[in-house]
Amino acid sequence: MRFKQGIVLLCLLSIVTVGILMWLLRRCMHFRRYDYTVLRADMSLAEHLHEEKKLLDKTVQDAALLNCQYYLRSKGHFELLRQCPNIGSRSEKNCFQVSRIGSNEKLLLAMFPASSPCPHDSDKLINELLLLLKHPYLYSGVMIDTLPEQGLVSVLQPFNKDGSLKDIIYHSKPLDRWQTKYSRCGIVLPPTSIRKYCRQILEALLYLRGKGFTSFQHLHSGNVLIRKDCCKLTGVENILLGMKPKLQSVITRLVKHKADAFDSVCFGHLLFELCTGYELDSAAPQPRHLLDIAGHDAVELLNFIFYSDTIPGINEISTHSYFKGVDLKEMRAFNPAPIRLTPAMKSCINKTNKTAADLLSRKHRLGKKEKVNH
């Protein structure tokens, strides 16, 4: 009897044990299925976001293309050759290769939102002023046009197949996509080339100072075009249009509200990039950066720019011993006729200077307020 009861009890325990094991197994499978489902959902979400971004980019590109086609039709003497990828650091700037009908010369058309407020309301005046500014180290042939209905500005200029100084540093092609062509570390240029290029750039900045511009503010390696081993500064239209400088957020606290120091620090950043093959990511070189320029013959000039008691001006930098013996052969042949700026042009330059100073001062005040809040 007891034996039979033991058998029954053992069977019941076995049944209960099997039931518990099956329940645990089902629970385990449920959780695994749940985890797997979440993982698949995450993957689908990532893919969905990627597809949405691609669709958004295409929509933006299509809208830019329509604006370009509308603009070219309104002008009547240009034809579209190709829509370029995002070739510059400004994501809102769309570029196209165009040509004049009946001409083989390639032009680069850039279209981007107008600044608010724009310092000037006369395209004709700006274009007349740009036409008068002639120098061996300035890029010429730039023409601007505003499209009030679209809230856009167009800038048309000859296409430079040799690219910019940044393209030289990173061994890239001018019409390649920005995100890929400058993603790797560049090369260090020969010291003689660095000296020559930098001295040419300083001459262009001094020329603009002589014409009344207190600060250029848009100096960086992408705005220095190379033609036959000669630097051509471009981007003068940016200050006339009141565009925000690329390096403003990085160096504002260093220059504070001094507009004349802005170009000096921008020049220091450009010199650093030429000496190291990469952009400086802080207002002034930090200890981690100094290791990369140790022993370079430009160290003394970089110290002069970034670590003097007061930031030196462009004229002081141009007379530094670093540039001793640099031959500016293009300047020997430069014999310009004197240009006369009309009262309207002088007023245009004065407004440009005031807008640039106000923008810098406002950014400096905001920076101080953020520092106090932190």
Side-chain angles (χ1 to χ4, degrees):
M1 185 69 177
R2 287 181 180 178
F3 177 74
K4 289 182 179 180
Q5 288 177 344
I7 294 293
V8 172
L9 184 61
L10 183 61
C11 289
L12 287 173
L13 285 172
S14 299
I15 292 169
V16 170
T17 303
V18 170
I20 291 171
L21 287 172
M22 289 182 67
W23 179 77
L24 289 172
L25 182 62
R26 289 187 66 185
R27 238 181 112 71
C28 182
M29 292 297 291
H30 170 75
F31 281 122
R32 282 185 180 178
R33 184 170 63 251
Y34 177 76
D35 291 344
Y36 180 66
T37 304
V38 172
L39 182 60
R40 286 193 60 184
D42 285 345
M43 288 173 64
S44 299
L45 178 61
E47 290 172 357
H48 179 67
L49 290 173
H50 179 65
E51 288 301 317
E52 275 195 348
K53 186 180 183 305
K54 281 175 62 177
L55 183 62
L56 179 62
D57 289 345
K58 188 177 185 310
T59 303
V60 171
Q61 288 284 310
D62 290 345
L65 181 60
L66 286 174
N67 284 327
C68 174
Q69 291 170 333
Y70 172 81
Y71 174 73
L72 295 179
R73 279 198 301 270
S74 70
K75 292 300 173 183
H77 44 269
F78 295 104
E79 59 182 347
L80 177 65
L81 299 179
R82 63 173 288 193
Q83 182 174 16
C84 304
N86 188 5
I87 62 174
S89 60
R90 298 180 189 272
S91 59
E92 73 279 6
K93 191 174 187 177
N94 296 282
C95 295
F96 308 86
Q97 234 185 9
V98 302
S99 67
R100 294 183 189 275
I101 294 174
S103 170
N104 292 326
E105 182 190 12
K106 292 180 179 179
L107 306 168
L108 187 68
L109 173 66
M111 302 183 76
F112 49 88
S115 64
S116 178
C118 182
H120 316 289
D121 54 7
S122 172
D123 299 345
K124 183 182 176 183
L125 180 62
I126 293 177
N127 285 323
E128 287 175 350
L129 180 54
L130 289 172
L131 193 62
L132 279 179
L133 298 174
K134 293 187 181 297
H135 191 271
Y137 306 133
L138 274 184
Y139 199 63
S140 58
V142 180
M143 183 179 73
I144 71 110
D145 205 356
T146 55
L147 291 75
E149 292 181 3
Q150 288 90 352
L152 297 172
V153 175
S154 74
V155 176
L156 188 67
Q157 64 184 37
F159 173 65
N160 184 52
K161 62 182 179 61
D162 294 333
S164 66
L165 195 50
K166 187 174 278 295
D167 291 319
I168 301 295
I169 296 170
Y170 296 92
H171 274 303
S172 57
K173 296 178 181 178
L175 295 183
D176 286 347
R177 189 178 297 277
W178 169 269
Q179 289 87 345
T180 55
K181 63 181 176 178
Y182 304 136
S183 59
R184 60 188 182 278
C185 192
I187 61 168
V188 177
L189 269 60
T192 52
S193 296
I194 295 176
R195 273 203 213 61
K196 181 179 69 172
Y197 290 158
C198 286
R199 191 65 186 81
Q200 290 174 347
I201 293 166
L202 289 169
E203 278 297 318
L205 293 174
L206 289 170
Y207 173 80
L208 292 174
R209 291 284 174 94
K211 299 308 172 200
F213 292 95
T214 56
S215 181
F216 177 63
Q217 296 198 357
H218 293 271
L219 176 62
H220 57 80
S221 58
N223 271 351
V224 180
L225 301 182
I226 299 294
R227 179 173 285 182
K228 296 179 180 178
D229 201 37
C230 180
C231 286
K232 304 279 185 178
L233 185 64
T234 187
V236 178
E237 71 281 356
N238 289 332
I239 46 174
L240 292 167
L241 293 170
M243 303 302 295
K244 178 185 174 182
K246 177 187 174 183
L247 293 178
Q248 180 173 301
S249 59
V250 179
I251 67 176
T252 297
R253 287 184 182 176
L254 179 62
V255 301
K256 298 178 181 177
H257 56 278
K258 300 174 183 176
D260 57 340
F262 200 98
D263 288 346
S264 300
V265 176
C266 287
F267 178 82
H269 274 244
L270 174 56
L271 176 59
F272 179 89
E273 187 178 6
L274 289 169
C275 295
T276 61
Y278 67 90
E279 290 184 4
L280 187 61
D281 57 3
S282 56
Q286 302 300 304
R288 68 181 187 278
H289 301 123
L290 299 178
L291 293 172
D292 293 331
I293 56 173
H296 200 287
D297 58 358
V299 169
E300 186 181 332
L301 178 58
L302 287 167
N303 285 333
F304 178 61
I305 294 170
F306 290 109
Y307 301 116
S308 296
D309 292 337
T310 57
I311 298 172
I314 290 299
N315 191 59
E316 292 175 89
I317 294 172
S318 69
T319 57
H320 193 275
S321 59
Y322 175 74
F323 297 110
K324 186 178 180 180
V326 174
D327 181 24
L328 299 175
K329 60 181 181 180
E330 295 81 10
M331 292 299 293
R332 293 201 300 270
F334 182 51
N335 186 24
I339 64 172
R340 294 183 181 275
L341 297 176
T342 65
M345 288 178 182
K346 291 178 181 177
S347 175
C348 175
I349 293 173
N350 289 335
K351 283 183 182 178
T352 297
N353 292 336
K354 186 177 185 305
T355 301
D358 288 346
L359 187 64
L360 185 60
S361 179
R362 184 165 64 250
K363 187 72 178 178
H364 175 60
R365 289 197 302 270
L366 288 173
K368 286 179 70 176
K369 188 180 292 185
E370 288 174 6
K371 193 173 181 180
V372 169
N373 290 337
H374 286 300

Short mmCIF file of all heavy atoms in Angstrom, two decimals, residues 65-100:
data_model
loop_
_atom_site.label_atom_id
_atom_site.label_comp_id
_atom_site.label_asym_id
_atom_site.label_seq_id
_atom_site.Cartn_x
_atom_site.Cartn_y
_atom_site.Cartn_z
N LEU A 65 17.43 72.73 -57.18
CA LEU A 65 17.53 72.63 -58.64
C LEU A 65 16.45 73.45 -59.33
O LEU A 65 16.71 74.13 -60.33
CB LEU A 65 17.44 71.16 -59.05
CG LEU A 65 17.56 70.87 -60.55
CD1 LEU A 65 18.89 71.37 -61.10
CD2 LEU A 65 17.40 69.37 -60.81
N LEU A 66 15.23 73.40 -58.77
CA LEU A 66 14.14 74.20 -59.35
C LEU A 66 14.44 75.68 -59.26
O LEU A 66 14.20 76.44 -60.21
CB LEU A 66 12.83 73.88 -58.63
CG LEU A 66 12.18 72.53 -58.95
CD1 LEU A 66 10.98 72.29 -58.05
CD2 LEU A 66 11.76 72.48 -60.42
N ASN A 67 14.98 76.11 -58.10
CA ASN A 67 15.35 77.53 -57.94
C ASN A 67 16.42 77.92 -58.95
O ASN A 67 16.37 79.01 -59.53
CB ASN A 67 15.87 77.78 -56.52
CG ASN A 67 14.76 77.84 -55.49
OD1 ASN A 67 13.66 78.29 -55.79
ND2 ASN A 67 15.04 77.38 -54.29
N CYS A 68 17.38 77.04 -59.16
CA CYS A 68 18.46 77.31 -60.11
C CYS A 68 17.91 77.43 -61.53
O CYS A 68 18.25 78.36 -62.27
CB CYS A 68 19.51 76.21 -60.03
SG CYS A 68 20.80 76.33 -61.28
N GLN A 69 17.07 76.47 -61.91
CA GLN A 69 16.51 76.49 -63.27
C GLN A 69 15.66 77.74 -63.49
O GLN A 69 15.71 78.34 -64.58
CB GLN A 69 15.68 75.22 -63.50
CG GLN A 69 16.54 73.96 -63.57
CD GLN A 69 15.71 72.68 -63.56
OE1 GLN A 69 14.60 72.65 -63.02
NE2 GLN A 69 16.24 71.62 -64.15
N TYR A 70 14.90 78.12 -62.48
CA TYR A 70 14.09 79.33 -62.57
C TYR A 70 14.98 80.56 -62.77
O TYR A 70 14.71 81.42 -63.61
CB TYR A 70 13.24 79.48 -61.30
CG TYR A 70 12.51 80.79 -61.19
CD1 TYR A 70 11.32 81.00 -61.88
CD2 TYR A 70 13.03 81.84 -60.41
CE1 TYR A 70 10.64 82.22 -61.79
CE2 TYR A 70 12.37 83.06 -60.32
CZ TYR A 70 11.18 83.24 -61.01
OH TYR A 70 10.54 84.45 -60.92
N TYR A 71 16.06 80.61 -61.99
CA TYR A 71 16.99 81.74 -62.07
C TYR A 71 17.66 81.81 -63.45
O TYR A 71 17.74 82.88 -64.06
CB TYR A 71 18.04 81.62 -60.98
CG TYR A 71 19.14 82.65 -61.06
CD1 TYR A 71 18.90 83.98 -60.71
CD2 TYR A 71 20.42 82.31 -61.51
CE1 TYR A 71 19.90 84.94 -60.80
CE2 TYR A 71 21.43 83.26 -61.59
CZ TYR A 71 21.16 84.57 -61.24
OH TYR A 71 22.15 85.52 -61.34
N LEU A 72 18.13 80.67 -63.95
CA LEU A 72 18.81 80.65 -65.24
C LEU A 72 17.87 81.04 -66.37
O LEU A 72 18.26 81.75 -67.31
CB LEU A 72 19.41 79.27 -65.50
CG LEU A 72 20.54 78.83 -64.56
CD1 LEU A 72 21.03 77.44 -64.92
CD2 LEU A 72 21.69 79.81 -64.58
N ARG A 73 16.61 80.59 -66.29
CA ARG A 73 15.63 80.98 -67.31
C ARG A 73 15.37 82.48 -67.28
O ARG A 73 15.21 83.12 -68.33
CB ARG A 73 14.31 80.21 -67.10
CG ARG A 73 14.32 78.80 -67.65
CD ARG A 73 12.89 78.27 -67.81
NE ARG A 73 12.17 78.28 -66.54
CZ ARG A 73 12.16 77.27 -65.69
NH1 ARG A 73 12.85 76.16 -65.96
NH2 ARG A 73 11.48 77.35 -64.56
N SER A 74 15.34 83.05 -66.07
CA SER A 74 15.08 84.49 -65.96
C SER A 74 16.22 85.31 -66.54
O SER A 74 16.02 86.42 -67.01
CB SER A 74 14.84 84.87 -64.50
OG SER A 74 16.05 84.78 -63.75
N LYS A 75 17.44 84.77 -66.52
CA LYS A 75 18.60 85.47 -67.06
C LYS A 75 18.69 85.29 -68.57
O LYS A 75 19.10 86.20 -69.29
CB LYS A 75 19.89 84.99 -66.39
CG LYS A 75 20.00 85.38 -64.93
CD LYS A 75 19.97 86.88 -64.79
CE LYS A 75 19.90 87.35 -63.37
NZ LYS A 75 19.79 88.82 -63.25
N GLY A 76 18.38 84.09 -69.04
CA GLY A 76 18.29 83.86 -70.48
C GLY A 76 19.58 83.55 -71.21
O GLY A 76 19.53 83.13 -72.36
N HIS A 77 20.75 83.78 -70.59
CA HIS A 77 21.99 83.53 -71.33
C HIS A 77 22.93 82.56 -70.60
O HIS A 77 24.13 82.58 -70.83
CB HIS A 77 22.72 84.84 -71.62
CG HIS A 77 22.78 85.78 -70.45
ND1 HIS A 77 21.82 86.74 -70.22
CD2 HIS A 77 23.68 85.90 -69.44
CE1 HIS A 77 22.12 87.42 -69.13
NE2 HIS A 77 23.24 86.93 -68.63
N PHE A 78 22.37 81.72 -69.74
CA PHE A 78 23.15 80.69 -69.07
C PHE A 78 22.48 79.33 -69.26
O PHE A 78 21.26 79.25 -69.40
CB PHE A 78 23.28 80.96 -67.56
CG PHE A 78 24.05 82.20 -67.22
CD1 PHE A 78 23.40 83.36 -66.81
CD2 PHE A 78 25.44 82.22 -67.33
CE1 PHE A 78 24.12 84.50 -66.50
CE2 PHE A 78 26.16 83.36 -67.02
CZ PHE A 78 25.50 84.50 -66.61
N GLU A 79 23.30 78.28 -69.26
CA GLU A 79 22.75 76.93 -69.30
C GLU A 79 23.37 76.10 -68.19
O GLU A 79 24.54 76.27 -67.85
CB GLU A 79 22.98 76.28 -70.66
CG GLU A 79 24.42 76.16 -71.09
CD GLU A 79 24.55 75.55 -72.46
OE1 GLU A 79 23.56 75.00 -72.97
OE2 GLU A 79 25.65 75.61 -73.05
N LEU A 80 22.57 75.19 -67.64
CA LEU A 80 23.01 74.34 -66.54
C LEU A 80 23.82 73.16 -67.08
O LEU A 80 23.39 72.47 -67.98
CB LEU A 80 21.79 73.83 -65.75
CG LEU A 80 22.06 72.88 -64.59
CD1 LEU A 80 22.83 73.57 -63.49
CD2 LEU A 80 20.75 72.32 -64.05
N LEU A 81 24.99 72.95 -66.49
CA LEU A 81 25.83 71.81 -66.86
C LEU A 81 25.65 70.65 -65.89
O LEU A 81 25.51 69.51 -66.29
CB LEU A 81 27.32 72.22 -66.90
CG LEU A 81 27.69 73.32 -67.90
CD1 LEU A 81 29.18 73.64 -67.79
CD2 LEU A 81 27.33 72.91 -69.32
N ARG A 82 25.66 70.94 -64.60
CA ARG A 82 25.47 69.90 -63.60
C ARG A 82 25.13 70.50 -62.24
O ARG A 82 25.48 71.65 -61.95
CB ARG A 82 26.73 69.04 -63.46
CG ARG A 82 27.94 69.79 -62.98
CD ARG A 82 29.13 68.89 -62.69
NE ARG A 82 28.94 68.09 -61.49
CZ ARG A 82 29.91 67.41 -60.89
NH1 ARG A 82 31.13 67.43 -61.39
NH2 ARG A 82 29.68 66.71 -59.81
N GLN A 83 24.42 69.73 -61.43
CA GLN A 83 24.18 70.10 -60.04
C GLN A 83 25.27 69.46 -59.20
O GLN A 83 25.51 68.26 -59.29
CB GLN A 83 22.81 69.63 -59.58
CG GLN A 83 22.48 70.03 -58.14
CD GLN A 83 21.06 69.67 -57.74
OE1 GLN A 83 20.41 68.87 -58.40
NE2 GLN A 83 20.59 70.25 -56.65
N CYS A 84 25.95 70.26 -58.41
CA CYS A 84 27.08 69.76 -57.61
C CYS A 84 26.57 69.19 -56.28
O CYS A 84 25.52 69.60 -55.78
CB CYS A 84 28.07 70.88 -57.31
SG CYS A 84 28.72 71.70 -58.79
N PRO A 85 27.31 68.27 -55.69
CA PRO A 85 26.98 67.84 -54.32
C PRO A 85 27.30 68.98 -53.35
O PRO A 85 27.70 70.06 -53.78
CB PRO A 85 27.90 66.64 -54.10
CG PRO A 85 29.06 66.88 -55.01
CD PRO A 85 28.51 67.58 -56.22
N ASN A 86 27.15 68.73 -52.08
CA ASN A 86 27.46 69.75 -51.07
C ASN A 86 28.98 69.89 -50.98
O ASN A 86 29.64 69.16 -50.27
CB ASN A 86 26.88 69.34 -49.72
CG ASN A 86 26.99 70.44 -48.69
OD1 ASN A 86 27.42 71.55 -49.00
ND2 ASN A 86 26.60 70.14 -47.47
N ILE A 87 29.55 70.88 -51.72
CA ILE A 87 31.01 70.97 -51.83
C ILE A 87 31.63 71.90 -50.79
O ILE A 87 32.86 71.97 -50.68
CB ILE A 87 31.43 71.45 -53.24
CG1 ILE A 87 30.87 72.86 -53.53
CG2 ILE A 87 30.96 70.47 -54.30
CD1 ILE A 87 31.35 73.45 -54.85
N GLY A 88 30.81 72.62 -50.03
CA GLY A 88 31.34 73.56 -49.03
C GLY A 88 30.85 73.24 -47.64
O GLY A 88 30.02 72.34 -47.43
N SER A 89 31.35 74.00 -46.66
CA SER A 89 31.02 73.74 -45.26
C SER A 89 29.61 74.22 -44.90
O SER A 89 29.05 73.79 -43.89
CB SER A 89 32.04 74.42 -44.34
OG SER A 89 32.05 75.83 -44.56
N ARG A 90 29.04 75.11 -45.69
CA ARG A 90 27.69 75.62 -45.40
C ARG A 90 26.66 74.67 -46.04
O ARG A 90 26.56 74.60 -47.26
CB ARG A 90 27.51 77.03 -45.94
CG ARG A 90 28.45 78.06 -45.32
CD ARG A 90 28.20 79.43 -45.92
NE ARG A 90 29.18 80.41 -45.54
CZ ARG A 90 29.11 81.17 -44.46
NH1 ARG A 90 28.08 81.06 -43.65
NH2 ARG A 90 30.06 82.05 -44.18
N SER A 91 25.89 73.98 -45.21
CA SER A 91 24.94 72.98 -45.73
C SER A 91 23.81 73.63 -46.53
O SER A 91 23.20 72.98 -47.38
CB SER A 91 24.35 72.17 -44.57
OG SER A 91 23.70 73.02 -43.64
N GLU A 92 23.53 74.91 -46.25
CA GLU A 92 22.42 75.58 -46.94
C GLU A 92 22.85 76.18 -48.29
O GLU A 92 22.04 76.77 -48.99
CB GLU A 92 21.84 76.69 -46.05
CG GLU A 92 22.69 77.94 -45.89
CD GLU A 92 23.79 77.81 -44.86
OE1 GLU A 92 23.99 76.69 -44.33
OE2 GLU A 92 24.46 78.82 -44.58
N LYS A 93 24.12 76.01 -48.63
CA LYS A 93 24.65 76.59 -49.86
C LYS A 93 24.64 75.52 -50.96
O LYS A 93 25.28 74.48 -50.83
CB LYS A 93 26.08 77.09 -49.62
CG LYS A 93 26.65 77.93 -50.74
CD LYS A 93 28.00 78.50 -50.31
CE LYS A 93 28.56 79.48 -51.32
NZ LYS A 93 29.84 80.07 -50.85
N ASN A 94 23.93 75.79 -52.04
CA ASN A 94 23.83 74.84 -53.15
C ASN A 94 24.60 75.37 -54.35
O ASN A 94 24.48 76.55 -54.71
CB ASN A 94 22.36 74.63 -53.53
CG ASN A 94 21.57 73.99 -52.41
OD1 ASN A 94 21.66 72.80 -52.18
ND2 ASN A 94 20.80 74.79 -51.68
N CYS A 95 25.40 74.49 -54.96
CA CYS A 95 26.27 74.91 -56.06
C CYS A 95 25.94 74.18 -57.36
O CYS A 95 25.52 73.01 -57.35
CB CYS A 95 27.74 74.69 -55.70
SG CYS A 95 28.30 75.73 -54.33
N PHE A 96 26.16 74.88 -58.47
CA PHE A 96 25.88 74.34 -59.80
C PHE A 96 26.99 74.79 -60.75
O PHE A 96 27.52 75.89 -60.63
CB PHE A 96 24.52 74.84 -60.32
CG PHE A 96 23.39 74.65 -59.37
CD1 PHE A 96 23.12 75.59 -58.38
CD2 PHE A 96 22.59 73.51 -59.44
CE1 PHE A 96 22.07 75.42 -57.49
CE2 PHE A 96 21.55 73.32 -58.55
CZ PHE A 96 21.29 74.28 -57.57
N GLN A 97 27.30 73.92 -61.70
CA GLN A 97 28.22 74.30 -62.77
C GLN A 97 27.38 74.76 -63.95
O GLN A 97 26.50 74.03 -64.41
CB GLN A 97 29.12 73.13 -63.16
CG GLN A 97 30.58 73.47 -63.10
CD GLN A 97 31.47 72.36 -63.62
OE1 GLN A 97 31.02 71.37 -64.17
NE2 GLN A 97 32.75 72.53 -63.41
N VAL A 98 27.64 75.96 -64.43
CA VAL A 98 26.88 76.51 -65.54
C VAL A 98 27.86 77.09 -66.56
O VAL A 98 29.07 77.18 -66.31
CB VAL A 98 25.90 77.62 -65.07
CG1 VAL A 98 24.94 77.08 -64.02
CG2 VAL A 98 26.64 78.84 -64.51
N SER A 99 27.33 77.49 -67.70
CA SER A 99 28.14 78.18 -68.71
C SER A 99 27.26 79.18 -69.43
O SER A 99 26.03 79.06 -69.44
CB SER A 99 28.74 77.17 -69.70
OG SER A 99 27.72 76.58 -70.47
N ARG A 100 27.91 80.17 -70.02
CA ARG A 100 27.18 81.11 -70.87
C ARG A 100 26.84 80.40 -72.18
O ARG A 100 27.65 79.65 -72.72
CB ARG A 100 28.01 82.36 -71.16
CG ARG A 100 28.27 83.21 -69.93
CD ARG A 100 29.03 84.47 -70.30
NE ARG A 100 29.46 85.16 -69.10
CZ ARG A 100 28.71 86.01 -68.42
NH1 ARG A 100 27.47 86.27 -68.83
NH2 ARG A 100 29.17 86.60 -67.33
#
